[in-house]
């Protein structure tokens, strides 16, 4: 999970950009970092649900924790304006789509619905950014 120090470092990096796509990369980094935090929270929520005997949350827990890792990496690459951001953006968008789909498969769960919404927003932002850097 992103620590406050990591978030502060990303904030510093994205508020001091240079180059044509820097503002968009900064926004994308922030969106990915937000999605990472939501997915980490949803992972914990899913584990709690599995502990209560709701086994349908087990598969989604895996998607959430894996998506969180992908979003974290993408946020870092975008914040650094890495030349590897393009492929990572595409990967992140796909991971977010899969996580959202998994979260949406569990009905009547507000936490998972919010995670799905956040993942869909992140996927869109990543796809938009990938078009700009690609």
């Amino acid at each position: 999970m992103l620590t406050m120090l990591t978030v502060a470092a990303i904030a510093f990096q994205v508020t001091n950009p240079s180059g044509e796509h820097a503002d968009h990369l900064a926004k994308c980094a922030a969106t990915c970092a937000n999605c990472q935090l939501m997915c980490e929270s949803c992972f914990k929520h899913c584990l709690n649900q599995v502990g209560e005997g709701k086994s349908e949350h087990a598969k989604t827990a895996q998607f959430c924790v894996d998506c969180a890792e992908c979003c974290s990496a993408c946020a870092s690459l975008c914040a650094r304006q890495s030349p590897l951001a393009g492929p990572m953006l595409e990967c992140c968008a796909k991971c977010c789509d899969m996580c959202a789909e998994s979260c949406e498969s569990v009905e009547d769960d507000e936490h998972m619905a919010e995670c799905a919404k956040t993942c869909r927003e992140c996927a869109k932002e990543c796809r938009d950014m990938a078009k700009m850097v690609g």
Side-chain angles (χ1 to χ4, degrees):
M1 186 148 79
L2 285 178
T3 65
M4 290 308 293
L5 182 59
T6 304
V7 172
I10 289 172
F12 174 77
Q13 290 170 334
V14 298
T15 57
N16 295 297
S18 62
E20 178 181 334
H21 301 296
D23 289 339
H24 296 290
L25 281 166
K27 181 181 178 204
C28 193
T31 300
C32 289
N34 180 58
C35 190
Q36 186 247 336
L37 293 173
M38 175 52 84
C39 287
E40 293 280 4
S41 174
C42 197
F43 169 69
K44 176 67 172 158
H45 170 75
C46 288
L47 290 184
N48 289 339
Q49 296 301 303
V50 170
E52 293 177 12
K54 299 176 182 175
S55 61
E56 68 273 13
H57 286 78
K59 181 180 176 187
T60 302
Q62 185 69 55
F63 277 107
C64 288
V65 75
D66 291 346
C67 187
E69 285 293 323
C70 187
C71 288
S72 176
C74 196
S76 294
L77 292 176
C78 286
R80 290 194 300 261
Q81 300 175 36
S82 169
L84 300 177
M88 191 70 222
L89 287 159
E90 293 173 16
C91 177
C92 191
K94 288 178 186 176
C95 290
C96 286
D97 286 341
M98 294 171 74
C99 186
E101 186 177 316
S102 187
C103 285
E104 291 164 348
S105 73
V106 180
E107 296 180 14
D108 300 323
D109 189 311
E110 286 183 36
H111 197 108
M112 295 179 79
E114 186 63 27
C115 186
K117 179 180 179 244
T118 302
C119 284
R120 296 281 184 210
E121 291 167 358
C122 188
K124 181 185 181 321
E125 185 69 31
C126 286
R127 280 193 180 87
D128 290 348
M129 189 69 241
K131 289 175 189 171
M132 296 175 111
V133 298

